[in-house]
Amino acid sequence: MKRAETRRHLPFISGLVAAVAAGAMLVTWGDEYAVGVGLTLVMWIALVQSWAAFSGLSGYISLGHAVFYGVGAYVMVAGWQTLPIWLSVVAAGLAAGAVALLLGWPSLRVRGPYFVILTFGLAEFVKYIVVSIEAALGRNGRLLIGAPGLRELFVAMLFLAVLSTTGLYALRRSRLGTGLIAIREDEIAAEAVGVNTARTKLVIFGLSAIVPGMVGALMSLRFTYFEPMQSFSPVTSFTIVTIAVLGGSDDVPGPLLGTVFLVALSELLWARAPELYMIILGVLLVGFVLFAPEGIYGKLRSWGRGGAR
Amino acid sequence: MTELLSVRDLDAGYGPVQVLKHVGFSVSEHSITAVIGSNGAGKTTMMRTVAGLLSASSGQISFAGKDVTLTPTHLRVAEGIVLIPEGRLVFPDFTVEETLRIGAYSSRAHAGADARAAEMYELFPRLRERRNVRAGSLSGGEQQMLAIARGLMAAPRLLLLDEPSLGLAPSTAQMLFETIVEVRRRGITICLVEQDVHSTLEIADYAYVLEDGAIVADGLANEMLGSAQVRESYLGL
Amino acid sequence: MSVLLSGQLLAAALALASLYALVAMGLNLVYGTMRLLNIAHGEFVMLGGYVTYWSFTHLGISPLLSMLIAPALGACLGMLIYLVLFRRLLRSPKLAARVEANSLLIFFGVSVIFQNVMALLFTSTQRGYVYLDQVINIGNVAMTANRLILFGVASSACLLCLAFFRYTRAGSAVRAVIQQRDASALVGIDIDRLNIMVFALGFALAALAGVLVSMVQEITPFIGFPFTISAFVIITLGGLGNLFGSLLGALLLAAVEVYGTAIISSSFRSILVYGVFIAVLLVKPEGLLGRAVVAR
Amino acid sequence: EDPIKIGYAISKTGPFAPAAQTQLNAYQLWADKVAADGGIDVGGVKRPVQFVVYDDQSDFGKAPAIYEKLITSDKVDLLLAPWGTPFHFSIVGILEKYHFPVVGNSAASTTIRDVKPGNIWFTTSAIPDHLASELVKMMKSAGVKTVAINTLQLPFSQEFKKYLMPAIEKDGGFKVVVNEEYAPDTKDMTATLTKIKQAAPDAILSLSYPPDSVLFMKQERELGINAPFQLVLIGPTDHFFSKIFGSNLDGTITMGHWSPAQAKWPKAKPFYDAYFKKFNEPPDYLDSALAWMSIEVLEQAVKKVGLDKDKLRQEIASDTFDTINGPVKFNGVENVTTPTMYLQFQKGEAQIIWPASEETAKMIKKPAWSQN
Amino acid sequence: MSLLRLDDVSKSYGGVSAIRNFSLHVEEGEIVGLMGANGAGKTTAFSLIAGTQPVTNGEIWFAGARIDQMSAYQINRLGIARTFQIVRPFVGLTVLENLVVAAMHGHQAEPARAAAEARSFAILQELGLARQADHLAGTLTLAGRKRLEIARAIATGPRLLLLDEVLAGLTATEVAAALDMIRHVHQRYHLTLIVIEHVMRALMKLCSRIVVLHHGEKLAEGAPNDIVVDQRVISAYFGKRAS
Ligand SMILES: Nc1ncnc2c1ncn2[C@@H]1O[C@H](COP(=O)(O)OP(=O)(O)OP(=O)(O)O)[C@@H](O)[C@H]1O
Ligand SMILES: Nc1ncnc2c1ncn2[C@@H]1O[C@H](COP(=O)(O)OP(=O)(O)OP(=O)(O)O)[C@@H](O)[C@H]1O
Ligand SMILES: [Mg+2]
Ligand SMILES: [Mg+2]
């Protein structure tokens, strides 16, 4: 039994090991630029996988991830030069989780597009509260001088990416995750077969906020500057959703492929065709949805199946 | 009697899943034609394809001598092909009254819509009691009545009924069968899919048996009622 | 306190509400009928603004005339976008299954394309012109003529729209399609044509809003997004798919912005706006006039 | 011979693009000039120039990665600054890491003094603390007694207010009759303006960014609020204000320390003319001018010492440069030669009205709004 | 002590009352039929018992616990499972996965996935759905979905199972087979059943007791043979052709 169990998880484990090895190679031998791109890549992986853990499984499309990211960044700058950096990172994750529980408790009663817009509203709400706090404190943008270097940040971020990927993988197969998937399919029926829908949603919503909180903290170290309008920018949430849909599916490979695709694409384009970069991205996005609506992973799977026949 | 609907060599299904295999049948004008078959045989698929909600992958559907295989649903309604769908598909936010009004949307149904609505209330007094209630909060059976009434409001030439008695109490179901006979008497042609095979064959003129996506038998309804095979397979006798 | 009772404040609230309602109505139409989340809606407002700006400053065409031209162009563009991008999406069951997420992405792409094409063609420079700018005093309310026109045109357009959907056959057909597509086809509604009509109307309304906006504020290729956001907040507040709800939502939002900030402080503007929005949804998760589903 | 590579990132798209445009215009004007001249003078040798330009999409999170790419992968020889305070700050870490000197321009905050001197300098003299104390002096000299203040909750305006309030208090000669703040995205200011109108102050200070500045002025005009002293912090220097407000802009005071009308600065007018010729509109008196200044500093330093980073750093930090804004010399990261000034629009022209030593015209009272 | 007890339960929507002062006792192991005209309040009664909707008045007790204030999942975990008249399978999941959810969360929850899968598969075999185990629930026919509703409800491991018109849409022959299946699961899983049906013949064969609702009130209650000859029931329910 034990061995069968291990065999079942073999593809995942070996994939993970390979990815970590690639990361280690990059950080050892890669030049600054490559590590910089690598950081962007693992950052989005960490964010999108954590997003998929809640939104992918539950079908509650959240535009609230920007809040967790922003809260994490804010915790980092608030504790700057008082708390040890790595403690700040952990605190950022916990604070984001706490904020998620606080926001999730009322908002998870709302469904479908209402939830989408509500989470957007909540994100803006929190953003402006932080703007107000900063205004009241008389702070006007904060500079973080003496932050850790790129390679250190990359290693930390890689860890977060592994954490959220493993988290999604395990969650999807767990009792809690099964309940969440049932909620996506039909909330009333899920209740009727014993799923504690309110608790399931809230717990996972809270958990899924921890990684983005820590990501936000790390990224504020990368930018060395904090300003609430930017750190809580809704663009973060939109990008996450875009990547998730591009990737397709609620399982680990989907968000992963989506991230790799988008990061690679933007690396290819923004330098080569800066004027047209965004336009090309827009066209590709539209084309993708129309011609590969099941996402990259879905498309690959259906090709795979076609080939097997 | 002339053929009002004729279906030839019809193939249809869902994506890669082919459900109907070379189905052919016809419905004569002013008749009641029944299609019987067990669960999963493809009856609903067939009815949806005739109504145009599903498109045929091959074959031909003609109505009153016209090929309607590629005609979109709303134009088939304009021609007079009206389906009362399985699963009711009510407009949840419309009240009973609004539903009847929208039922007469197509231009052929304008004339006399008010009178027909009054008839519907005669037919289903329960609907009259609930005329200002939203369809979404009606009980299952009430929704079924509403779906039937909505279909009749469209002034059909050919009425396709997919399990209309589903969820109706016996007295109401019995009235439904009487209504179907009455509707036919007024010149509307009927194609009926029903699980209550006994009542169906009693009022039908002609019947087809659909099994596994193909027509496996057909004949006069009263002969079917006597057929040993039908009795065993569908009447539980 | 006297500020709160002043006609000036009421007029400001009404003018803002009328613009909000106009933008939200077009968005709600498209969402309501087809479940398409059009986050490029504000971009069509922006385009309407540019059409007006260029035709006024370069061709000398009065913005009043643009109130006909821009919506007509908007309608054509809307139809084109429907035919090219969305007809397929709505027909294929595979695509339609996740129509909300898919449409969000497509429109996101469209929005990115329009913004950047405009920036490329006309640069990001802020543009403005002066038209009918004299201040008109009515009683003790002072307003520039162009804002009065904005109020008049936007509110009549909204009311016309409402009346259209309340009292015409096409209107009830749209409401039917919102609820049940298959059944709508089964009562004889030509859904495709209706969709085209709705796209044309929705985008024409957005373009009209753009004409009005360009008369009272500066425009850039990036002014659209805030309009999209306000419109989404409004239609959610009012109940998705409910046009009258949009009107109510617009009034509420404008009232919060104008009176809320007058009572409390402008520094809490956004906190107030989103706070009220969140509060309403918590009390009524389906929006003010939305309806909850029931299980049988 | 080898062209030298000059790189920068700027917001070409996204919410900051409209504001960044006037700085970008200055960069492009320079690119034309360099092309026409056949290159720039590098330690006495004329070398052609190749530009590497990226769009940061109004996301200062992208700026560090882009500048890192410019340095490590595109291997540029020189860098120009991005647009805006946050973008300047976000690249400080990268510049430190690679010891790459950059002359900044459109960044203004006292926080710049927290930046370790070495690789970045700030040409602006519009730093909030100086601006605030000068404003108080200026109001005093204009005989202002009562003041209304309306402040946007974004970093620069907030910081400005932070230094303004104590300065007003310390002076003691003013009564602040209205003191309001407002959030970004505010769509209507009627309530605040009604309060201001009732208070009828001598001076109205709108500490705002361009979009709100327009809203503020438009609604002020509607309500016919005519204070003799009116400051609108950011915006009026951008050309489109005069398009929207025409002669109504006259009398408005705004932040800025450059004017083509200043005879002391011989290079000022030619820059104005060249800019006007290319873009068919005047430059932004603040951002276009700052951008141009930063280029002049860099160009002169390169001419003198070439491309070697250490020498360049040394040179910029120690020498005095001759710019359209007069002589510039840095102390630490800050430009200490250019005094803090204020501009006022008079007959459509931006005139320096403060301090007296720099003035190109006398301060006037703001005429009543024309409501027609 | 009764397994389930409804005391004077009422439910109204705004002004309209769907159920009025309804009392009912169900003993362990019983099969009770619930019938009544369309809109009589049968489904509403199920919704109240299962906690899908809150009661307006009255009390509901199950196995010694008062449940009318509990939420649906709590009630399910106490051992009550229901099917929906207007079916709601998890259409995007396979038939097996539909059951796995129930098996991992319901009354006799099996938190380990492998065990839950094993139990679910056994139930599918029992109900003759094993062949479709890997099909998406959305591709089943209406009758298939109804059967899936039953299977999923059983997968929660209930003591009391509420079946709402699960025979609707079947031919007489299929009804006979389905009845056998219901009787079988009743035995096999030691269930107590309340069954709503309009197919009178089926109720007669299945139930030991029938309760008739009329306009939200209890009209009659008794053995099937007494119910079919009850004049009030005949005039309210069967119509003239009753045989
Ligand atoms: N959306 C769908 N996708 C794939 N297969 C489907 C879909 N809907 C139905 N099917 C399959 O098509 C076949 C025929 O289904 P159909 O609903 O037409 O049967 P039916 O005769 O109406 O059955 P019933 O008596 O239960 O209503 C079944 O095998 C069913 O599983
Ligand atoms: N939300 C609601 N608002 C108003 N009336 C409602 C609501 N929900 C149910 N009803 C009414 O309550 C009554 C009882 O409905 P219920 O579904 O319990 O009937 P039923 O006995 O199951 O009927 P059927 O045999 O048709 O399924 C119906 O008349 C229905 O219209
Ligand atoms: Mg069927
Ligand atoms: Mg019922």
Side-chain angles (χ1 to χ4, degrees), chain A residues 106 109 113-114 117-118 120-122 124-125 128-129 132 238 242 245 275 278-279 282-283 285-286 289-290 293, chain C residues 31 85 88 95 98 102 105-106 108 112-113 116 225 229 232 236 239-240 270-271 274-275 277-278 282 285-286:
Chain A
R109 304 177 336 117
Y114 289 94
I117 318 280
L118 177 60
F120 180 86
L122 279 168
E124 294 291 286
F125 185 68
Y128 285 109
I129 286 179
S132 279
F238 280 115
T242 306
V245 179
E275 314 283 326
M278 291 299 283
I279 298 171
V283 171
L285 197 60
V286 171
V289 177
L290 285 180
Chain C
Y31 178 79
L85 300 179
R88 218 179 94 89
L95 285 162
R98 297 194 311 162
N102 284 333
L105 282 196
I106 292 187
F108 186 46
V112 167
I113 294 170
N116 290 287
F225 190 63
I229 293 305
F232 267 112
T236 317
L240 293 172
S270 298
I271 297 179
Y274 289 108
F277 169 62
I278 293 162
L282 294 186
E286 330 64 54

Side-chain angles (χ1 to χ4, degrees), chain A residues 31-37 40 44 124 127-128 131-132 134-143 145 149-151 219 222-231 235 267 270-272 274-275 277-278 281, chain D residues 12-13 16 53-55 57-62 64-66 68-69 72-73 85-87 89-94 97-98 109-112 114-116 153-156 158-160 162 181 183-185:
Chain A
D31 66 11
E32 295 294 312
Y33 177 67
V35 179
V37 175
T40 312
W44 286 116
E124 294 291 286
K127 172 168 96 183
Y128 285 109
V131 167
S132 279
E134 290 287 281
L137 292 177
R139 299 302 299 245
N140 10 72
R142 299 178 184 226
L143 199 53
I145 295 167
L150 176 59
R151 280 165 211 269
M219 288 316 278
R222 168 76 170 151
F223 304 152
T224 65
Y225 186 70
F226 171 86
E227 196 267 302
M229 292 296 276
Q230 281 278 349
S231 294
V235 174
E267 276 314 310
W270 73 259
R272 253 157 253 205
E275 314 283 326
Y277 163 55
M278 291 299 283
L281 210 61
Chain D
K12 288 185 170 181
T13 56
F16 298 146
V53 184
Y54 297 121
D55 175 15
Q57 297 164 41
S58 297
D59 177 2
F60 71 64
K62 294 216 162 71
I66 298 177
E68 191 154 45
K69 175 174 164 59
T72 60
S73 157
T85 309
F87 291 83
F89 286 155
S90 71
I91 62 167
V92 165
I94 297 295
K97 182 166 167 190
Y98 297 99
S109 162
T110 53
T111 313
I112 62 175
D114 301 343
V115 176
K116 197 168 107 205
Q153 289 182 322
L154 283 180
F156 185 74
Q158 285 291 319
E159 189 176 346
F160 191 93
K162 182 168 117 186
E181 291 197 355
D185 286 347

Side-chain angles (χ1 to χ4, degrees), chain C residues 14-292:
Chain C
L14 287 177
L16 192 58
S18 67
L19 178 61
Y20 277 166
L22 183 61
V23 180
M25 192 126 336
L27 181 71
N28 206 2
L29 270 179
V30 172
Y31 178 79
T33 38
M34 286 157 266
R35 297 275 171 259
L36 303 178
L37 288 169
N38 179 4
I39 60 170
H41 193 68
E43 268 56 71
F44 293 87
V45 176
M46 178 267 290
L47 287 177
Y50 269 91
V51 167
T52 317
Y53 172 81
W54 286 106
S55 47
F56 183 56
T57 55
H58 291 238
L59 305 174
I61 297 174
S62 147
L64 296 180
L65 200 57
S66 287
M67 285 180 195
L68 301 176
I69 301 170
L73 291 176
C76 293
L77 195 56
M79 290 193 260
L80 193 72
I81 287 184
Y82 173 75
L83 293 176
V84 176
L85 300 179
F86 287 101
R87 188 187 229 170
R88 218 179 94 89
L89 184 87
L90 291 169
R91 282 208 180 146
S92 136
K94 205 163 67 179
L95 285 162
R98 297 194 311 162
V99 67
E100 273 156 351
N102 284 333
S103 66
L104 188 80
L105 282 196
I106 292 187
F107 274 126
F108 186 46
V110 169
S111 143
V112 167
I113 294 170
F114 275 124
Q115 277 182 19
N116 290 287
V117 166
M118 291 304 279
L120 201 63
L121 292 180
F122 303 118
T123 76
S124 305
T125 307
Q126 336 204 28
R127 312 274 178 182
Y129 61 91
V130 179
Y131 184 73
L132 291 181
D133 200 35
Q134 56 274 36
V135 178
I136 293 181
N137 287 286
I138 304 170
N140 48 12
V141 177
M143 236 183 214
T144 49
N146 49 33
R147 269 225 292 174
L148 283 175
I149 290 174
L150 177 147
F151 172 68
V153 172
S155 49
S156 355
C158 288
L159 294 177
L160 274 177
C161 239
L162 269 185
F164 177 73
F165 283 99
R166 199 73 238 164
Y167 301 112
T168 64
R169 229 161 63 88
S172 46
V174 169
R175 287 190 295 140
V177 174
I178 289 175
Q179 300 168 53
Q180 237 296 340
R181 288 182 71 79
D182 277 355
S184 303
L186 287 177
V187 297
I189 297 171
D190 182 349
I191 297 177
D192 204 38
R193 214 182 66 189
L194 207 67
N195 286 348
I196 293 189
M197 184 194 87
V198 166
F199 254 81
L201 191 58
F203 287 80
L205 289 177
L208 178 62
V211 178
L212 299 173
V213 164
S214 77
M215 289 171 61
V216 300
Q217 70 165 72
E218 72 286 358
I219 54 171
T220 74
F222 307 104
I223 54 164
F225 190 63
F227 283 108
T228 308
I229 293 305
S230 307
F232 267 112
V233 166
I234 289 166
I235 68 173
T236 317
L237 209 51
L240 293 172
N242 188 316
L243 294 185
F244 189 68
S246 301
L247 206 59
L248 222 55
L251 276 170
L252 181 60
L253 199 70
V256 171
E257 274 196 35
V258 175
Y259 286 94
T261 56
I263 295 168
I264 302 177
S265 155
S266 316
S267 52
F268 299 118
R269 178 263 170 192
S270 298
I271 297 179
L272 270 177
V273 165
Y274 289 108
V276 165
F277 169 62
I278 293 162
V280 168
L281 280 198
L282 294 186
V283 178
K284 261 203 118 243
E286 330 64 54
L288 291 171
L289 298 183
R291 286 225 166 86

